[in-house]
Amino acid sequence: MNLAPMRYKNYIWPHNPRVYSIDYERVVAENKVPFGRCQLQDMGMTRRVMRGEGEFVGPEAYYQFGQLATVFYDDGPGLLVHPIWQTANAYFVELRVEQEPRPDYVKYSFAFWERFDPYVTAIRQVAAEKTEGSSGITGSSAAGGGGEQWHTVERGDTLWELARRYGVSLERLVELNPQIKNPNLIYVGQKVRVGE
């Protein structure tokens, strides 16, 4: 199976990391009740932590690692797109070289923390529902309603290609479409907002 490359902000991995893991965590509080029992209270999900390991090999190995390190120094969160797992708005929190220096090989590890803000997400969903209800979207390939542009997904379309076609960043395209839970999965006939 040929997988798309992993991406973060403006960096595209030349080949996907060899190891990739995701830690999910839910906070549960324990409250004591009479007779030695306890009641568990769900305090909700916390961030997902995405970790991985990979190698850069060949004469460009240190250049590739340098490019990745440059992205690490960028402030703020960015869109982390994995070829299989759910896309996340994440902070790049850890980057480490894992071996002794060699001229054509760099082994590295990384960690991303998902940025999760349920309040902002809820506001965006409400705004999107209001927009969809009042825009009068038709089935055309790129329809404008009050300046908005929509695209009806056709076979072979990906969000990455739609972002390039319509001249918007992938991150902005994901923001415009909160109804798309996994940007790696869009379906023929689905409506995608591609412009203001």
Side-chain angles (χ1 to χ4, degrees), residues 123-141:
I123 288 174
R124 284 185 183 151
Q125 286 175 343
V126 168
E129 288 169 7
K130 285 182 180 178
T131 302
E132 286 175 10
S134 64
S135 65
I137 298 171
T138 65
S140 62
S141 206

Side-chain angles (χ1 to χ4, degrees), residues 81-100:
V81 180
H82 187 274
I84 297 174
W85 301 108
Q86 183 180 14
T87 299
N89 190 16
Y91 286 93
F92 197 169
V93 297
E94 186 179 309
L95 180 63
R96 177 183 304 164
V97 176
E98 297 281 356
Q99 102 290 334
E100 65 185 49

Side-chain angles (χ1 to χ4, degrees), residues 63-122:
Y63 172 77
Q64 282 296 334
F65 182 80
Q67 294 295 103
L68 185 57
T70 299
V71 175
F72 176 81
Y73 286 113
D74 284 350
D75 289 334
L79 203 61
L80 176 64
V81 180
H82 187 274
I84 297 174
W85 301 108
Q86 183 180 14
T87 299
N89 190 16
Y91 286 93
F92 197 169
V93 297
E94 186 179 309
L95 180 63
R96 177 183 304 164
V97 176
E98 297 281 356
Q99 102 290 334
E100 65 185 49
R102 289 170 49 186
D104 59 353
Y105 178 81
V106 179
K107 181 179 178 186
Y108 65 94
S109 63
F110 60 83
F112 291 91
W113 287 7
E114 180 179 36
R115 177 178 179 256
F116 178 68
D117 190 340
Y119 180 71
V120 172
T121 303

Side-chain angles (χ1 to χ4, degrees), residues 82 84-87 159 179-187:
H82 187 274
I84 297 174
W85 301 108
Q86 183 180 14
T87 299
L159 282 189
Q179 78 280 10
I180 298 176
K181 302 304 179 199
N182 184 350
N184 290 321
L185 294 173
I186 57 175
Y187 304 98

Side-chain angles (χ1 to χ4, degrees), residues 1 3 8 16 29 50 60 75 83 98 103 117-118 139 161 178 194:
M1 173 167 43
L3 298 177
Y8 180 71
N16 288 321
M50 288 75 72
E60 297 286 313
D75 289 334
E98 297 281 356
D117 190 340
E161 288 181 7
V194 293

Side-chain angles (χ1 to χ4, degrees), residues 140-152:
S140 62
S141 206
E148 294 178 4
Q149 275 191 304
W150 293 82
H151 175 87
T152 302

